[in-house]
Amino acid sequence: MKFTLDTTPAPELGTACLVIGIFEHAALHGSAELIDQASNGALQQLIDSGDINTDWKGTTMLHGLEGVVAKRILVMGCGETEKFSEVRYDRVCGSAGVFLRDHATTSAHICLNEVEAVKPGKVMSGTGQEAGLDQAHWRLRQAAVNVGRANYSYTATKAPKDDDNKPLVSASFNADAEMELALAEARGIVKGYLRSMELGNLPPNICNPAFLAEQARAIANDYENVSVEILDKDEMAQLKMSALLAVGQGSVNEPKLIVLKYQGSNENTRPIVLVGKGITFDTGGISLKPGPNMEQMKFDMGGAASVIGAFEACADIQLPINLICIVAAAENMPDGNAYRPGDVLTSMSGKTIEILNTDAEGRLVLCDALTYSQRFNPAALIDVATLTGACVVALGHHASAIMSKHDDLAKQLIDAGQAAIDRGWRLPLWDDYQPQLKSTFADMRNVGGMAAGSITAGCFLSRFTKGQRWAHIDCAGSTWIWGGDKGSTGRPVGLLSQFLIDQAS
Ligand code: BES
Ligand code: MN
Ligand code: ZN
């Protein structure tokens, strides 16, 4: 979708649809006021007669308003001014995007960024302000990101139908050229989200480790300052990545270690390194998962999809940082050659791991990828993974879990999630949990028991990141909509992209 800026007064704009926001019981202002004037008070009359739903996220489509060039006006309800938080603002933009997509609108002019809550003296929590972002910049960017994200539909493996959604082709926003940077950020973030969603949604017979590697190659081809290296099974064996290889050894789809490098700064600048869990299908292996809902384990590469998406956002915006993205891609299958409970593996770090459950495979591919990543001397090392079902028990689908021993890094990630409205919440990584990983036959076991399953998984990873400024993000609840057919959310591309943008400034 094309994003542009246009300051032409809304009533004069030749677009298929104008999009404005209106509060409950509040005077019209900005473009809404101009439309009201141009239409001789028709807009206010419609509001007064109760024909416009001003509830938060309410939608009303107006047709052929006199004095207004655009044939359609989508009025988004914003609810009560006192309740209009950044989260509410963000959701209104997303709802507008979904509505446009579902109503065959191919071009729109969006004025939602004019909608500002009046909250004298109150610093809103979780917003641009705290992350040091300018509010006007933030509002414009989030409007574009949300409309862009909402405009996605999955089409890759089905025949087109007449009543398919007609995506928006172009959207203009009411802001002047000063806001071009906000739009450039939005373009990159949307690109990242769409990449992440598409990779998540593609079926596991298509999106396997080799496919992820091809996608990385394609991204490297798109940007001059991006390079890629794909390590195959033999190269990983030479590096002694036995934990990663064990997970993949039951599948005919061989594992890959994907290394994408972006140079946006001086070559001596330490890179930020993102590591993603790329299990393209997780059957559980010999400790086989139950049948119901197993198909959802195609999303077990959601961490990989989001680090690839955030990487692409960074390259598209051309942030002045160095960034490396590492994906540990493998398929966890039961087979005559599969690894088993009872096996003891020697990881690349030299530490040995007793396998108690082959379904705790994410931490095994990640531990070798994390050991490998340290050769890049990262300024910050962040892994992202659909690591534990326990994460969903703890936080549900609204937040990713953030774990780090570095308070400053944890705070930066939480703030980034707040600013992007792609939120994370911290869980502790105290050493008190470490004894749950004790093993009689190896340096550690790969499961920590029932209690605090997400934290013990984090503790496991912490053993491979000693001395690193490291954080772990468990996105098991946030990266796809569970149960239904809505598919991938692309998260946490927003959080990660915001973190990278913050690092650049
Ligand atoms: N990919 C799963 C985690 C998961 C499960 C994410 C359900 C989202 C929904 C992971 O590989 C896994 O199976 N974890 C086990 C760990 C256990 C065996 C210690 C889990 O969470 O049950
Ligand atoms: Mn598993
Ligand atoms: Zn898994």
Side-chain angles (χ1 to χ4, degrees), residues 207-248:
C207 185
N208 57 29
F211 182 88
L212 284 179
E214 283 321 307
Q215 293 277 302
R217 274 193 220 284
I219 292 170
N221 276 334
D222 283 348
Y223 302 94
E224 247 176 41
N225 54 351
V226 172
S227 60
V228 66
E229 210 181 324
I230 314 288
L231 277 65
D232 65 17
K233 204 172 95 184
D234 297 335
E235 288 162 304
M236 286 190 270
Q238 266 169 17
L239 288 164
K240 300 191 162 42
M241 295 186 162
S242 304
L244 194 162
L245 289 172
V247 171

Side-chain angles (χ1 to χ4, degrees), residues 48 51 160 251 297 342 364 370 399 422 429 471:
D48 293 345
D51 290 322
S251 171
M297 281 298 118
L364 299 173
L370 285 166
D422 174 11
L429 265 193

